[in-house]
């Protein structure tokens, strides 16, 4: 038998094994229920069976662009990861949420809010690698987390921005699922949670500009400029930013987003905000439409009418080609130029929201360069 037949047969078997792995392993999520499909089909933010952005948004998929990205990823570059361990602050949850509004950053985009006497976790990715398997996707900069998922007390809510692995982590959700009273997600994302054992009654899905009341906190699912997908298909679930209007404070969470007019629209509809939690990191000119440059992050903060900005989406993983400290350095420089108040707490450090906000400006990341 010719050798090429063995090669082709082997490739076919390998392809089938990969397909079955994606189809059967729960890490890749689930399919929407009938009620979710009905809500999805009513959405005005779809075209040709997929969710779309307000603006034409694409990542260059040409062969030359993909080859250049692959080459740069393999070649690496200086400063893409810390040379020394990060000084992570330990977080010990109290029996009850704080009486004043606070935020604690867990690295990347994982944020614990204490607002109006409730604990709300935004994109609680506490995994070691932002991928479906720990052997791929790069490792978290620090093996130490402020607090492990197993050590959390009850959470009142988890809010998710989209279903990418660096925001929606299968292992983290399994550890937290019995501690969370409610989940708030963009359209389609409930399918993943339901496959992972969370009852539909505990999940609420929203489309862009839809609102809900969570025990006195006004939640609004607002646009972002990004994409979604956990397996072989893209944009079958929605991506979003979030507005949280509590009695104690107003907070905006950008999720993942390229720059666009939606920020000004959100500012007009829901601003001003006491604190903005703004994506800043994992950018590149070749995918600038889905991740902001740091200078755009500052502009987006101004667009939504924020008082204090906290840059996030950095200091945990290397998902782009820039040095790991470049995002915060560029954001701080632009914030100073634009006279924008910016806070840069350590991972695990708790910050008070609103009022006479402390200015946290120590360049702690330089210790680990």
């Amino acid at each position: 038998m010719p050798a090429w037949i063995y090669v082709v047969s082997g490739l076919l078997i390998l392809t089938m094994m990969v397909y079955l792995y994606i189809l059967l392993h729960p890490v890749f999520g689930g399919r929407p229920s009938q009620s979710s499909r009905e809500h999805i089909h009513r959405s005005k933010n779809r075209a040709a069976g997929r969710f779309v952005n307000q603006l034409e948004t694409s990542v260059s998929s040409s062969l030359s662009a993909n080859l250049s990205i692959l080459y740069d990823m393999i070649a690496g570059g200086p400063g893409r990861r810390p040379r020394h361990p990060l000084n992570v602050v330990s977080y010990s949850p109290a029996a009850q949420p704080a009486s004043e509004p606070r935020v604690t950053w867990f690295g990347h985009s994982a944020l614990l809010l204490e607002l109006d006497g409730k604990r709300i976790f935004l994109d609680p990715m506490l995994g070691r690698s932002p991928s479906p398997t720990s052997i791929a996707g790069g490792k978290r900069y620090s093996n130490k987390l402020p607090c492990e998922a197993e050590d959390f007390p009850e959470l009142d809510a988890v809010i998710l921005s989209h279903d990418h692995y660096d925001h929606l982590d299968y292992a983290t959700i399994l550890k937290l699922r019995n501690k969370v009273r409610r989940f708030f997600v963009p359209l389609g994302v409930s399918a993943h949670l339901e496959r992972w054992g969370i009852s539909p009654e505990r999940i609420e899905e929203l489309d862009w500009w839809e609102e809900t009341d969570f025990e006195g906190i006004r939640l609004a699912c607002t646009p972002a400029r990004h994409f979604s997908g956990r397996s072989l298909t893209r944009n079958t679930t929605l991506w979003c930013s979030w507005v949280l209007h509590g009695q104690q404070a107003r907070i905006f969470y950008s999720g993942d987003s390229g720059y666009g007019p939606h920020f000004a629209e959100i500012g007009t509809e829901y601003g001003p905000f006491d604190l903005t939690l703004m994506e800043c990191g994992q950018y590149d000119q070749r995918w600038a439409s889905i991740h902001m440059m740091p200078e755009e992050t500052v502009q987006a903060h101004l667009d939504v009418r924020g008082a204090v900005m906290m840059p996030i989406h950095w200091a945990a993983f290397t998902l782009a080609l820039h040095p790991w400290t470049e995002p915060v350095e560029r954001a701080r420089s632009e914030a100073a130029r634009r006279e924008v108040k910016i806070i840069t707490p350590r991972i695990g450090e708790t910050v008070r929201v609103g009022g006479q906000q402390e200015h946290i400006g120590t360049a702690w990341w330089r210790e680990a360069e």
Side-chain angles (χ1 to χ4, degrees):
M1 187 177 293
W4 67 267
I5 293 180
Y6 289 104
V7 173
V8 171
S9 299
L11 289 174
L12 289 174
I13 292 171
L14 178 62
T15 301
M16 181 59 67
M17 291 175 63
V18 171
Y19 174 76
L20 290 174
Y21 177 70
I22 293 173
L23 182 67
L24 299 175
H25 199 293
V27 70
F28 297 101
R31 297 179 180 274
S33 65
Q34 179 62 34
S35 60
S36 180
R37 288 198 299 271
E38 291 173 358
H39 197 172
I40 289 170
H41 292 323
R42 291 196 303 270
S43 175
K44 297 179 181 178
N45 304 304
R46 299 174 80 243
R50 295 287 187 270
F51 287 104
V52 296
N53 287 289
Q54 292 179 323
L55 298 179
E56 180 68 27
T57 300
S58 63
V59 179
S60 178
S61 58
S62 68
L63 178 60
S64 61
N66 287 333
L67 287 175
S68 71
I69 293 171
L70 179 62
Y71 174 81
D72 289 343
M73 288 289 187
I74 294 173
R80 291 185 62 205
R81 290 182 63 90
R83 289 190 298 170
H84 306 288
L86 302 187
N87 186 2
V88 175
V89 178
S90 295
Y91 176 81
S92 299
Q96 299 296 326
S99 59
E100 60 183 11
R102 307 193 306 179
V103 60
T104 306
W105 184 40
F106 282 72
H108 204 58
S109 296
L111 298 139
L112 181 66
L113 299 181
E114 294 171 89
L115 181 64
D116 292 1
K118 294 177 177 58
R119 285 193 180 97
I120 301 173
F121 217 148
L122 304 176
D123 284 351
M125 198 296 187
L126 302 179
R128 306 303 180 187
S129 180
S131 68
T133 172
S134 60
I135 63 175
K139 301 295 184 183
R140 186 180 288 272
Y141 292 163
S142 175
N143 289 327
K144 178 185 177 184
L145 287 167
C147 179
E148 296 291 342
E150 298 89 339
D151 298 326
F152 275 99
E154 181 180 87
L155 295 168
D156 294 286
V158 159
I159 295 178
L160 299 172
S161 64
H162 62 301
D163 67 3
H164 284 162
Y165 295 102
D166 59 322
H167 292 258
L168 175 57
D169 182 59
Y170 171 62
T172 301
I173 295 298
L174 292 188
K175 294 173 182 176
L176 292 178
R177 62 184 175 183
N178 295 326
K179 300 181 179 186
V180 181
R181 294 199 291 118
R182 296 290 303 279
F183 291 83
F184 297 93
V185 303
L187 286 178
V189 176
S190 65
H192 306 322
L193 301 183
E194 289 177 30
R195 187 175 184 187
W196 301 342
I198 298 167
S199 64
E201 293 76 18
R202 295 164 58 200
I203 309 168
E204 186 167 352
E205 284 191 330
L206 287 85
D207 198 355
W208 289 347
W209 303 116
E210 289 184 341
E211 298 181 9
T212 190
D213 178 87
F214 176 52
E215 300 174 2
I217 299 175
R218 182 187 183 190
L219 301 179
C221 177
T222 43
R225 191 181 181 195
H226 201 55
F227 70 105
S228 66
R230 292 182 72 84
S231 57
L232 300 177
T233 57
R234 284 188 175 185
N235 301 344
T236 58
T237 65
L238 188 61
W239 51 95
C240 71
S241 55
W242 286 95
V243 168
L244 297 91
H245 277 189
Q247 297 299 313
Q248 295 178 323
R250 293 184 169 202
I251 297 170
F252 174 71
Y253 171 53
S254 71
D256 279 6
S257 183
Y259 184 72
H262 59 283
F263 289 114
E265 294 170 4
I266 293 166
T268 298
E269 183 69 22
Y270 293 108
F273 294 96
D274 300 294
L275 178 67
T276 68
L277 308 165
M278 302 298 290
E279 183 218 64
C280 179
Q282 321 312 326
Y283 50 79
D284 190 281
Q285 286 294 345
R286 287 166 290 192
W287 54 83
S289 63
I290 58 168
H291 284 298
M292 291 184 283
M293 301 296 166
E295 295 76 19
E296 292 176 315
T297 297
V298 175
Q299 182 60 57
H301 163 83
L302 292 169
D303 288 352
V304 299
R305 301 164 61 203
V308 178
M309 185 185 94
M310 180 173 160
I312 59 171
H313 206 245
W314 71 286
F317 307 106
T318 295
L319 303 177
L321 301 167
H322 55 69
W324 79 278
T325 61
E326 182 183 287
V328 69
E329 294 283 7
R330 284 175 60 175
R332 289 217 315 171
S333 177
E334 182 68 5
R337 189 183 74 83
R338 304 290 298 272
E339 298 183 345
V340 166
K341 191 170 185 181
I342 183 172
I343 56 172
T344 54
R346 294 179 184 270
I347 295 173
E349 186 173 3
T350 298
V351 179
R352 185 168 61 91
V353 180
Q356 298 301 312
Q357 177 71 55
E358 302 89 355
H359 183 76
I360 301 179
T362 301
W364 57 266
W365 51 89
R366 295 175 186 167
E367 302 167 359
E369 284 187 299

